[in-house]
Amino acid sequence: MTTLDAKLDRVLGAKSGKALETALGLVTVGDLLRHYPRRYAERGELTAIAGLEIDEHATVLAKVERVTKRTMKSRRGTIVEARITDGHRSLTCTFFNQAWRERELVVGRRGMFAGKVTSYRQQLQLAHPEYQLFDDEATDIGSAAEEFASALIPVYPSAQGLPSWSIARCVGQVLDVWDGTDDQLPPEMRDRLGLADLESALRKIHRPHSFADVAAAQDRLKWDEALSVQLVLAQLRGSNQSHPAPVCPRRDDGVLAAFDQRMPFELTKGQREIGEQIAEDLTVEHPMNRLVQGEVGSGKTVVALRAMLQVVDAGRQAAMLAPTEVLAAQHARSLRELLGDLAMAGELGGAEEATRVTLLTGSLGAAQRKKALLEAASGEAGIVVGTHALIQDRVSFADLGLVVVDEQHRFGVEQRDALRARGGEETSPHVLVMTATPIPRTVAMTVYGDLETSALRELPQGRSPISTSVVPVAEKPNWLERAWTRIHEEVAAGHQVYVVCPRIGDDEETAGKGKKKTRKTAVDDSDGGGEEPPPEDGEERRPPLAVLDVAEQLGAGPLAGLRIGILHGRLAADDKDAVMRAFADGEVDVLVATTVVEVGVNVPNATVMVIMDADRFGVSQLHQLRGRVGRGSAPGLCLLVTEAVGGTTTRERLDAVASTTDGFELARLDLELRREGDVLGAAQSGRKSGLKMLSLLRDEDVIAAARDEAAHIVDQDPALRNHPGLARMVAEVVDADRAEYLEKT
């Protein structure tokens, strides 16, 4: 029998099985049948070329517009260039020393073309595409590709050497011998929700006769994914509530009251409302599990500090976990500055109600680390700030009452739960997580469904506006020259500047291979390209710009004479801290850094953020980075430097970031542009996720209904022992490691 667990090499043969595993990681029949078509092309319809993304492996249905052949000037041989079009925009397909292509690629003929999308001289091209041509009038195209004969042509996510039509052929072979599968959903649920059975849905998603077939299959497969995830989250919520939490009542005479009394600014309405919610959560014995999301600079740190002080007033401790050592040190310093003598317990000049803020990171010296560990274990430190080091087994707390996790998107559920376990066997500490990446409601329900969510939308008074512009160096190199001039002007006015690069440098990407030559860099914006098209193995995209290289080029070139500092993750902790202090104190004019400055770094005098290779960053990350400027009285400027070609999805994304500073609007855009399975996998477990069909943006109704259904099921059957089909479905959508973790909890 051919089941979902059958190995593809047994069903399709060793060659095809190996190709699918190597290119796409597909090993079993179930893997292949859940590799769903990305879209469907109709026989008379051409694919929109304008939406293609540089570096993606794309399959387009297009028409041959023009074919030329010429002799290469710099080496022997010929080049055939075929121009294909969707009627609005064109792509170039280049073939070296394959003159016969000119006879095959007849002008006006249609076909499917698959390859890697690249850019050459500001023109889109497919790098050495594979293609299948067919006659639009034919009803039976025989051996060319059976899948083209149907009304709807499935277009699959593909890879180099494995085009969509090859995947379609493999799917067809599998479906012909597949014996079907038992349905995991109870019949009562299927009937009540009007869903197709699983076997029918899997067959129709690959072999639809109409878009109605596609819709029915998608409805069922979306429900499976939504329900699986919500069952997981319902189990997590139940697990989180299984231990009582330490009760932390409010006090009128403690360190929180003293802090509120001397606070030098007024809380925003949102800070007051969310602070009241958190304060109430801390007074009950059920563990608080709350996510506070808010714009960069919306005052989340103050909200977290007030919660931690309420816990300290109750005689317990609070731990604050940051994603990087730079941010952990920044948080510890900021908390001490906000508290003043209230953070000086046991020190000369400390207030009567004072507590102590202790920093614990992995790179502390032996003596410092020992001291920090003792302060945490003895309870001397009311607030302990650190990185991943806080969730190591050697770290213990006297009485941990609250865990604050900053930038939740950097940590998975398991990491958060490991820190929660630091509270001891009898109680589970309250958990407050914060993010400056606004989250659409559907994502909050799905990715952070084990948390209650609150949003800070109001910015404190005094924040200056930030303007953002795209600097397209490939099309307008003079704009970059103007950017460096603007930096000189800002520094002359007494301000400071960030220059952010996606990579550190040195031998990161070239160890053992020698450095690759770059055709062009965004710093010197000189075009070193020759007259001929890229070499036969395709024009490789240059490595991302690196901090060490860019800092050297800027210091010797356009920013000569300015004081340039360097900050990245490989620096020793003391060196990072020294660089940040120097920048904060105005001793550095330009800080060239990686994304270690993305969150938490607060230098009000910094007014310009230049992001090199901005197309290498996500929408939310760009929004986070630009939030580092405009934090003082002077307005901020963010420049997105890119070589991305106009009209591509990449440029559209950057233009969108430049058009608005509304983080919640950008969060929706980010979700539209990202693979949602990656969103779930990164946030939930850091591993590959089975979320492939469900759209977190468009399927809010499905997610909400699945959440209610899952809550009811888990309430009656927490371990799903009476629902073996649902337990199997969860295991399919959520990977094995994740399922094992759930079993442990």
Side-chain angles (χ1 to χ4, degrees):
M1 292 182 64
T2 303
T3 66
L4 291 176
D5 295 328
K7 301 293 185 183
L8 288 173
D9 56 2
R10 297 289 184 89
V11 179
L12 299 172
K15 183 178 179 180
S16 295
K18 181 67 173 177
L20 289 166
E21 181 178 4
T22 302
L24 298 169
L26 307 178
V27 177
T28 67
V29 166
D31 292 340
L32 180 59
L33 294 185
R34 291 196 182 277
H35 185 74
Y36 306 130
R38 176 178 290 165
R39 57 185 173 82
Y40 299 87
E42 295 183 84
R43 285 187 57 77
E45 173 191 81
L46 299 178
T47 302
I49 290 173
L52 296 179
E53 184 79 63
I54 300 294
D55 277 351
E56 76 169 313
H57 286 279
T59 301
V60 297
L61 179 57
K63 181 170 65 175
V64 179
E65 183 180 37
R66 186 179 72 236
V67 181
T68 59
K69 183 180 73 173
R70 62 187 174 87
T71 302
M72 287 186 281
K73 296 178 181 178
S74 60
R75 55 184 183 267
R76 295 178 61 185
T78 60
I79 299 175
V80 172
E81 290 181 322
R83 199 87 174 138
I84 60 174
T85 181
D86 62 1
H88 302 283
R89 188 154 186 186
S90 301
L91 275 172
T92 298
C93 304
T94 304
F95 303 92
F96 292 81
N97 295 319
Q98 298 177 34
W100 55 272
R101 301 279 188 184
E102 183 183 23
R103 297 189 300 274
E104 188 170 270
L105 293 165
V106 178
V107 172
R109 198 169 183 189
R110 298 182 182 220
M112 297 192 82
F113 300 81
K116 185 178 181 180
V117 181
T118 60
S119 169
Y120 182 68
R121 294 178 178 172
Q122 287 80 62
Q123 298 293 321
L124 290 178
Q125 68 175 9
L126 282 183
H128 311 289
E130 299 178 74
Y131 58 83
Q132 289 264 5
L133 300 173
F134 53 92
D135 184 349
D136 286 335
E137 305 302 321
T139 56
D140 179 12
I141 57 175
S143 61
E146 281 187 13
E147 59 271 19
F148 293 158
S150 62
L152 296 181
I153 303 170
V155 180
Y156 291 89
S158 54
Q160 188 70 42
L162 194 67
S164 174
W165 53 85
S166 294
I167 299 170
R169 191 174 296 114
C170 291
V171 170
Q173 288 179 247
V174 164
L175 288 176
D176 287 342
V177 298
W178 181 43
D179 292 301
T181 184
D182 294 334
D183 207 308
Q184 301 154 329
L185 289 186
E188 174 274 326
M189 184 185 294
R190 285 205 315 273
D191 294 342
R192 173 162 48 85
L193 298 171
L195 297 172
D197 64 90
L198 180 59
E199 180 178 348
S200 173
L202 287 173
R203 291 187 184 278
K204 285 182 177 179
I205 201 70
H206 296 289
R207 285 180 167 174
H209 294 294
S210 65
F211 279 112
D213 282 353
V214 174
Q218 288 178 340
D219 285 347
R220 167 57 201 266
L221 298 172
K222 285 178 181 179
W223 179 262
D224 283 8
E225 293 181 2
L227 183 60
S228 296
V229 172
Q230 294 303 328
L231 285 168
V232 168
L233 294 171
Q235 289 177 314
L236 270 176
R237 288 193 296 272
S239 173
N240 293 343
Q241 298 296 327
S242 61
H243 292 292
V247 175
C248 301
R250 302 187 227 200
R251 279 176 51 189
D252 297 329
D253 59 347
V255 64
L256 175 57
F259 174 72
D260 284 347
Q261 190 173 8
R262 64 173 70 180
M263 195 182 297
F265 48 83
E266 185 177 346
L267 295 174
T268 65
K269 180 182 177 183
Q271 286 175 315
R272 289 194 302 272
E273 290 177 350
I274 293 176
E276 189 62 29
Q277 290 174 341
I278 293 170
E280 188 62 33
D281 289 344
L282 294 174
T283 62
V284 298
E285 64 177 10
H286 292 297
M288 173 182 72
N289 289 283
R290 184 172 294 278
L291 170 70
V292 175
Q293 55 174 318
E295 290 281 12
V296 173
S298 59
K300 297 181 297 298
T301 301
V302 172
V303 170
L305 175 57
R306 295 184 70 247
M308 290 190 285
L309 294 180
Q310 180 173 331
V311 171
V312 171
D313 278 340
R316 295 186 166 88
Q317 295 168 285
M320 188 173 197
L321 182 62
T324 67
E325 291 196 351
V326 168
L327 184 53
Q330 176 84 16
H331 273 317
R333 187 159 53 243
S334 297
L335 295 179
R336 290 181 186 128
E337 290 172 356
L338 285 168
L339 289 171
D341 60 358
L342 292 173
M344 298 169 60
E347 299 178 39
L348 187 64
E352 184 179 348
E353 310 89 349
T355 185
R356 175 168 293 194
V357 178
T358 292
L359 176 66
L360 178 57
T361 60
S363 62
L364 287 178
Q368 289 177 299
R369 180 172 176 78
K370 182 177 180 181
K371 182 174 181 289
L373 287 169
L374 285 173
E375 289 177 351
S378 66
E380 185 179 350
I383 298 175
V384 182
V385 183
T387 57
H388 300 81
L390 290 186
I391 59 177
Q392 293 175 353
D393 290 338
R394 290 182 58 194
V395 181
S396 61
F397 296 86
D399 191 352
L400 185 59
L402 171 66
V403 173
V404 178
V405 181
D406 193 20
E407 289 311 315
Q408 162 66 14
H409 69 285
R410 305 288 189 92
F411 296 97
V413 170
E414 291 93 331
Q415 290 171 302
R416 191 170 74 231
D417 205 67
L419 184 55
R420 185 189 289 119
R422 298 290 97 204
E425 296 182 2
E426 296 184 2
T427 62
S428 179
H430 300 283
V431 175
L432 174 66
V433 296
M434 304 188 300
T435 181
T437 306
I439 302 165
R441 178 173 177 265
T442 46
V443 182
M445 278 196 299
T446 305
V447 177
Y448 305 110
D450 58 326
L451 305 170
E452 298 297 325
T453 59
S454 303
L456 279 170
R457 286 182 168 268
E458 182 182 1
L459 293 181
Q461 291 184 347
R463 289 304 301 267
S464 300
I466 303 172
S467 61
T468 305
S469 298
V470 176
V471 180
V473 293
E475 301 158 27
K476 300 177 180 178
N478 291 339
W479 284 27
L480 188 59
E481 295 176 15
R482 171 60 188 138
W484 304 132
T485 302
R486 176 64 183 272
I487 287 177
H488 278 282
E489 295 169 355
E490 289 291 320
V491 172
H495 300 306
Q496 292 164 279
V497 177
Y498 295 99
V499 176
V500 173
C501 304
R503 194 167 61 95
I504 296 174
D506 274 346
D507 298 321
E508 273 179 321
E509 301 198 359
T510 56
K513 299 180 181 178
K515 290 190 176 182
K516 294 177 183 177
K517 293 182 180 179
T518 62
R519 185 179 60 87
K520 175 168 31 176
T521 72
V523 173
D524 63 23
D525 60 79
S526 62
D527 190 344
E531 182 182 22
E532 297 295 342
E536 194 161 354
D537 59 351
E539 178 186 26
E540 291 190 15
R541 191 181 187 190
R542 62 163 173 78
L545 291 174
V547 166
L548 300 179
D549 298 333
V550 169
E552 181 181 349
Q553 292 172 22
L554 291 177
L559 300 187
L562 301 185
R563 297 171 298 176
I564 297 176
I566 293 175
L567 182 67
H568 56 74
R570 289 212 308 262
L571 291 175
D574 289 345
D575 293 337
K576 292 177 194 171
D577 197 51
V579 172
M580 277 312 306
R581 282 184 180 276
F583 190 61
D585 292 341
E587 298 169 7
V588 171
D589 300 319
V590 179
L591 184 63
V592 184
T594 58
T595 54
V596 293
V597 299
E598 180 183 349
V599 289
V601 176
N602 183 25
V603 180
N605 194 46
T607 55
V608 179
M609 165 72 68
V610 181
I611 304 177
M612 309 302 295
D613 278 349
D615 48 287
R616 311 267 186 159
F617 300 91
V619 168
S620 294
Q621 197 169 32
L622 292 172
H623 181 59
Q624 287 260 42
L625 284 166
R626 71 174 165 188
R628 298 303 105 207
V629 296
R631 302 176 75 86
S633 58
L637 171 66
C638 179
L639 300 176
L640 307 177
V641 181
T642 181
E643 293 177 359
V645 180
T648 60
T649 305
T650 299
R651 274 289 292 279
E652 289 175 5
R653 183 172 70 242
L654 297 180
D655 291 339
V657 174
S659 70
T660 181
T661 56
D662 185 337
F664 287 86
E665 180 182 336
L666 288 173
R668 291 184 64 84
L669 172 69
D670 197 23
L671 186 59
E672 288 177 347
L673 296 172
R674 292 171 66 187
R675 289 188 55 178
E676 289 154 328
D678 296 340
V679 176
L680 179 70
Q684 283 296 335
S685 67
R687 304 184 183 95
K688 183 180 177 182
S689 165
L691 189 62
K692 299 172 183 175
M693 182 65 69
L694 190 70
S695 167
L696 300 185
L697 201 61
R698 296 182 295 275
D699 296 322
E700 183 173 344
D701 292 345
V702 176
I703 293 168
R707 182 180 172 91
D708 292 341
E709 194 82 35
H712 175 73
I713 293 169
V714 171
D715 185 52
Q716 304 296 322
D717 183 16
L720 300 181
R721 289 191 176 89
N722 299 324
H723 295 81
L726 295 182
R728 287 198 312 274
M729 187 174 74
V730 167
E732 283 185 16
V733 174
V734 184
D735 64 32
D737 290 329
R738 186 86 176 96
E740 182 182 351
Y741 163 73
L742 285 171
E743 197 172 300
K744 290 177 182 176
T745 62

